[in-house]
Amino acid sequence: MIEGGRVAVVTGGGRGIGREIALRLAREGADVAISYRKAEAAAEAAAEAVREAGVRCELFRGDVAAPGDVDDLFKGVNEAFGRLDILVNNAGVTRDNLMMRMKEDEFDEVLRTNLKGTYLCTRAALRPMVRARWGRIVNISSVVGLVGNAGQANYAASKAGIIGFTKSVAREVAQRGITANVVAPGYVETELTGSLPEKVKDQIKAQVPSGRFGEAGEVAEVVAFLVGEGAGYVTGQTVAVDGGMTMQ
Ligand code: NDP
């Protein structure tokens, strides 16, 4: 349960898993700020769907890894809503390649968006949370950050980095009423995984005890629990939503 009047920022909330998270938090009664980078029409549609839940929703365009854009996002949220209670660092990219072929820009772009973006947004969000002595941060990692994946060394490094980052932040702010946790999805049906060849999808499903891909709503369900009023004693944890793939 989320107390009425809480304000959530969901980065990359215009489509995919982020959109489902934004909708889920809206249905719990939170006002939502959605950040997106390029897909404007999708973000507008997501905002409309969020508003249909009867809450306020504002859209902010920008790159989570650009300090100026992140400043604008959090200033904009403060101007629009006057508070910030929940941050979900969901924006993420992949640039897959085998290690021996991986180009420096493929490595840099993934680390920059997934890890630096999470750092910049977390730093900006902590200020109002510390002042309010209440906050919930959920960072979206991946099972790939737990067990690795051939062709995704850059992505795995960024997602494993998010786990260490989150544990450190959780320790720093635990006594101020703020929790920080990680949700690590397995393979979820979105545009990110939609481009995989059917053969690869079948190989993946064969490794999942549940025998299927996850749904974005199933990830959102766990995020909703972690940002709720009742989860105040859960911090620094990584919850895999992966159909039993990793069972850590
Ligand atoms: P999508 O590719 O469907 O969506 C990615 C979202 O991130 C988009 O909203 C995109 O904005 C946004 N984004 C990307 N780069 C930036 C940036 N630099 N600044 C701001 N926003 C940005 O991905 P998914 O929904 O599948 O993934 C969401 C998260 O879940 C990611 O962190 C991903 O790594 C993680 N994940 C996904 C899994 C899956 O199977 N799908 C499995 C495990 C983890 P825009 O639309 O404007 O481009």
Side-chain angles (χ1 to χ4, degrees), residues 11-19 21 34-40 42-43 60-66 69 89-94 109 112-114 140-144 155 158-159 162 183-194 213-214 216 219:
T11 68
R15 50 193 185 92
I17 294 172
R19 177 191 158 105
I21 293 170
I34 288 177
S35 100
Y36 70 101
R37 185 185 44 164
K38 284 186 200 149
E40 184 149 19
F60 297 90
R61 183 178 196 140
D63 178 354
V64 288
D69 289 3
N89 281 304
N90 162 82
V93 292
T94 52
E109 190 186 345
R112 181 180 170 277
T113 303
N114 299 2
I140 306 298
S141 173
S142 164
V143 290
V144 169
Y155 184 72
S158 73
K159 293 301 190 179
I162 284 174
V183 170
Y187 289 87
V188 176
E189 307 262 15
T190 66
E191 282 173 45
L192 199 81
T193 48
F213 275 36
V219 177

Side-chain angles (χ1 to χ4, degrees), residues 108-129:
D108 287 346
E109 190 186 345
V110 170
L111 268 290
R112 181 180 170 277
T113 303
N114 299 2
L115 192 53
K116 186 176 174 190
T118 297
Y119 143 69
L120 287 174
C121 292
T122 301
R123 189 179 64 173
L126 276 176
R127 225 161 275 141
M129 290 179 182

Side-chain angles (χ1 to χ4, degrees), residues 22 26 30-34 43-44 46-52 54-60 80-81:
D31 290 330
V32 182
I34 288 177
E44 304 236 339
E48 238 358 272
V50 165
R51 289 183 193 118
E52 275 166 25
V55 299
R56 291 180 59 203
C57 183
E58 298 290 337
L59 280 181
F60 297 90
F81 299 101

Side-chain angles (χ1 to χ4, degrees), residues 137-194:
I137 298 168
V138 174
N139 297 327
I140 306 298
S141 173
S142 164
V143 290
V144 169
L146 294 169
V147 297
N149 195 22
Q152 289 197 308
N154 51 355
Y155 184 72
S158 73
K159 293 301 190 179
I162 284 174
I163 294 171
F165 172 84
T166 308
K167 288 178 179 174
S168 305
V169 171
R171 287 182 187 277
E172 282 184 30
V173 298
Q175 292 188 18
R176 297 173 188 257
I178 302 166
T179 67
N181 290 286
V182 173
V183 170
Y187 289 87
V188 176
E189 307 262 15
T190 66
E191 282 173 45
L192 199 81
T193 48

